[in-house]
Amino acid sequence: MDSEKQLSQLVARWLELDRNNATRKEIQGLWDSGNVKELESRMSPRIKFGTAGLRGRMQAGWARMNDLIVIQASQGLAAYVVQEVPNALSRGVVIGHDHRHNSEHWAKLTAAAFLAKGMKVFLLRGIVHTPMVPFSVKRLHAACGVMITASHNPKDDNGYKVYWENAVQIIEPYDQGISESIESDLGPATWDTSDVTASALSSDVTLEMHDAYFASLSAHLLVDKRLNESTSTAFKFVNTSMHGVSDSYVKRAFEGFGFAPFIPVKEQQQPNPDFPTVRFPNPEEKGALDLALATAEREGACYVLAQDPDSDRFSGAERGPSGTWTVFTGDQLGALFASHVISNCATEGSGKTLAKIALVASAVSSKMIEAMAKVEGFKFVQCLTGFKYIGNTALDLVEAGYQVPFGYEEAIGFMFGDEIRDKDGVAATMVFVQMVAALRTKGQTLQDHLENLYKKYGYFQTNNGYFICNDPPTIDTIFSRIRNFDSTSSPSYPKQIAGLTINAVMDLTTGYDNTNPPTYKPSLPLSSGHMIQFRAENEEGLKIFLTTRTSGTEPKIKYYLEGSGQDREAVRNLLIKVIQELGDVWFEAGKHGLGKS
């Protein structure tokens, strides 16, 4: 079948099924004007349902996010859940949405599709933060959950995030099963949303779940309310919700934990789907915290708190005695949070044995917690990147008899307690402000505490980046060369970098781990793209941990590099040398014309 005929069929099928006048007109207009290039990008390939669910630009077409795609995804998901989860019809689905364009409408379309299958629906009323969906799935013992959000993506995007019955984001093979179910159920759809709240199968548990969520925060994370109350006027917090949903959540949490009200960044306080003050509403992006820092300077505040638009990520900043601001990295926050959690677990009378405590981090996050675990005696486990893996790894550890009070990934995502096995920006905010309060009573800052952690466990510094390569075969060539660096053996990975001896190699593409004889099989699951990890060190105690991997969505070879040792300057210089050799020698950037981030 030639491409013109195939495109014609895709357009005809779209116009047959789409009942949204606006998106029908989009496709019809492109067809009438002969805009083949744009139609091809809109129509093929169909947007893929994966472990992150669906996420993409809001436009008409099979390759975009729109009413028809949401309806078909919901029909297929509902059919799959009914097939795979015991008593799914009566256990029901939890559905929530954020404030983005189309979010509320798509939540109702999702509800209508599940109701059409005869399934109970818990549609959370009004905008909610993403952690509310997994929390409610667990509390209600629901069969699954759906959150309509694109997190911190640009304003033109939206998404469809799915949680399984274990209240964790879906992983393999559920994603493939759901995708196949969607593709087998592409026929007539339910477009009428007028009865989704009136149906006998629809229940409104919104207030109940909100109350339970805040009670859970206090039960699991509140350390000393009297201390919070006594110190709450001694220093000020500025908070930005980044035009998202978190403002009301953090307000209520502050009150419950005994803190005086924070100072909001008024320009970013209210939900606004157009995100007018930031190009990318992500606290990690350059310039995203400028308004918050300016507000703090004006108000004389020493701390800035930030959540991303759906409030599952957190960032924090501290003004030092000299007036200089430190915006903590995700890894620095991870170390501070881990120290706080372990300290509370070790407190006399807590009833917790550190040997049965486990903390989890993604494979590309700092290994500082690993160093802490060796000294303090708790267990540290790494897993693949993404909270779908962090959450499921935590559940596996619980099954093995461990308590898992904390997990994180370097992209400012933090998980606390056992009620939500997903990242939660509100929970992270409340742990952060309590750390500030406790340290201030000792005359210390967070930066002081971080320096003390470095002295005890070693100095850790990360330097992450990427090389740009628009030719996939060239990327394959680069990684093939790394796996066959010399002819002495097969495989033959590099043995040195920047004067350090490489002593551990884990290839999560081919399934090789030189530290795990006799099988040499890695402990982590394999990656769908190229991904290799290296550990190296020298006689002076300098160490590096390096992960190189491809991106699933961008033409990049990413690297995640961390150096550690007692000499801070030596670590910094080492990272520069490693990156230079990585590009010049390993990747042959000049030969292949690679761009550098």
Side-chain angles (χ1 to χ4, degrees), residues 263-303:
I263 301 165
V265 179
K266 292 183 179 179
E267 300 94 328
Q268 300 172 334
Q269 183 179 10
Q270 298 304 319
N272 188 328
D274 293 318
F275 307 106
T277 67
V278 285
R279 183 179 178 189
F280 294 102
N282 179 356
E284 283 190 301
E285 289 288 336
K286 184 178 181 180
L289 295 182
D290 285 355
L291 276 174
L293 293 171
T295 302
E297 288 284 355
R298 185 175 65 249
E299 299 289 341
C302 291
Y303 293 93

Side-chain angles (χ1 to χ4, degrees), residues 435-486:
M435 286 195 301
V436 169
L439 288 168
R440 285 278 181 157
T441 62
K442 302 175 185 177
Q444 295 181 16
T445 64
L446 286 169
Q447 188 62 52
D448 292 335
H449 185 51
L450 185 60
E451 291 298 327
N452 289 335
L453 296 180
Y454 287 150
K455 290 176 183 177
K456 186 173 184 179
Y457 305 114
Y459 176 71
F460 288 74
Q461 181 178 331
T462 56
N463 193 330
N464 304 330
Y466 57 85
F467 290 85
I468 300 170
C469 182
N470 291 293
D471 183 44
T474 297
I475 293 177
D476 292 338
T477 297
I478 290 170
F479 276 91
S480 176
R481 180 174 182 273
I482 292 173
R483 294 185 176 103
N484 300 277
F485 210 68
D486 59 49

Side-chain angles (χ1 to χ4, degrees), residues 67-112:
D67 287 8
L68 185 54
I69 288 295
V70 167
I71 290 171
Q72 291 182 337
S74 300
Q75 289 180 160
L77 174 61
Y80 185 76
V81 170
V82 169
Q83 173 187 313
E84 296 292 328
V85 178
N87 305 312
L89 291 177
S90 59
R91 289 171 61 183
V93 56
V94 175
I95 302 170
H97 66 84
D98 68 6
H99 65 303
R100 287 177 180 263
H101 294 297
N102 295 311
S103 284
E104 182 177 9
H105 178 54
W106 288 354
K108 290 180 178 179
L109 286 176
T110 303

Side-chain angles (χ1 to χ4, degrees), residues 414-435:
F414 310 99
M415 172 188 78
F416 294 92
D418 58 7
E419 283 281 1
I420 299 177
R421 294 304 184 185
D422 202 18
K423 53 188 179 292
D424 185 347
V426 176
T429 299
M430 300 318 298
V431 174
F432 184 92
V433 296
Q434 287 185 104
M435 286 195 301

Side-chain angles (χ1 to χ4, degrees), residues 230-277:
S230 66
T231 60
S232 66
T233 57
F235 41 86
K236 301 175 183 178
F237 295 101
V238 163
N239 188 79
T240 175
S241 57
M242 208 64 64
H243 299 296
V245 305
S246 69
D247 186 73
S248 62
Y249 284 90
V250 180
K251 276 182 180 177
R252 182 168 174 180
F254 257 61
E255 182 179 349
F257 278 58
F259 286 99
F262 59 78
I263 301 165
V265 179
K266 292 183 179 179
E267 300 94 328
Q268 300 172 334
Q269 183 179 10
Q270 298 304 319
N272 188 328
D274 293 318
F275 307 106
T277 67

